[in-house]
Amino acid sequence: MHELPVTKHIVDIAENHCRDNGGERVLAVNLVIGDYSGYVGESIQIYFDVITENTLCEGAKCNIETVEPKLRCNKCGKLFTKQLLTFDCPYCDGQGEATEIGKEFYIKSIEIE
Ligand SMILES: [Zn+2]
């Protein structure tokens, strides 16, 4: 449910960006969403289509690039994708620790015309 306010915010930013740059309408909004960001891309896309009615974003595409979470090994320092039920490093006998990779949530670009 918390995707609704954040989607409204994204639409506001896209509209402002369009006006500020003399565009007539928004063609696409490209988002980057990490799997651990706490936001569900599909929900944002559904809200986006509803909220954008009668705005400069009407008919625009909401493209979402997802980011797989990565752990960093506490021994060798390599980044790796967490496997189910384990934090073991695949390169050595170290343990993976959480990183910021996978918590991304931002607008990558906005296409206007
Ligand atoms: Zn390691």
Side-chain angles (χ1 to χ4, degrees):
M1 274 307 283
H2 64 293
E3 279 86 4
L4 181 57
V6 84
T7 309
K8 278 182 178 157
H9 192 58
I10 290 165
V11 172
D12 282 347
I13 292 171
E15 283 205 290
N16 287 335
H17 174 80
C18 186
R19 284 194 200 97
D20 291 351
N21 291 280
E24 278 173 20
R25 66 191 188 99
V26 177
L27 296 177
V29 176
N30 301 309
L31 305 175
V32 177
I33 303 179
D35 285 350
Y36 282 6
S37 68
Y39 292 105
V40 180
E42 287 85 3
S43 298
I44 290 178
Q45 281 174 319
I46 290 164
Y47 287 131
F48 187 86
D49 287 342
V50 176
I51 295 169
T52 52
E53 243 177 71
N54 301 315
T55 72
L56 293 175
C57 296
E58 186 164 3
K61 280 213 168 68
C62 180
N63 299 315
I64 293 174
E65 189 180 308
T66 54
V67 182
E68 227 177 28
K70 298 263 190 200
L71 299 179
R72 186 185 299 280
C73 176
N74 62 1
K75 256 194 174 171
C76 70
K78 286 194 173 111
L79 286 170
F80 61 92
T81 305
K82 185 185 177 313
Q83 300 300 310
L84 210 59
L85 305 176
T86 172
F87 286 86
D88 292 351
C89 173
Y91 307 103
C92 71
D93 61 354
Q95 289 283 299
E97 290 172 346
T99 66
E100 291 305 303
I101 300 169
K103 293 179 186 165
E104 295 84 352
F105 186 78
Y106 61 89
I107 299 173
K108 189 180 179 187
S109 59
I110 297 166
E111 296 163 33
I112 59 171
E113 75 169 6

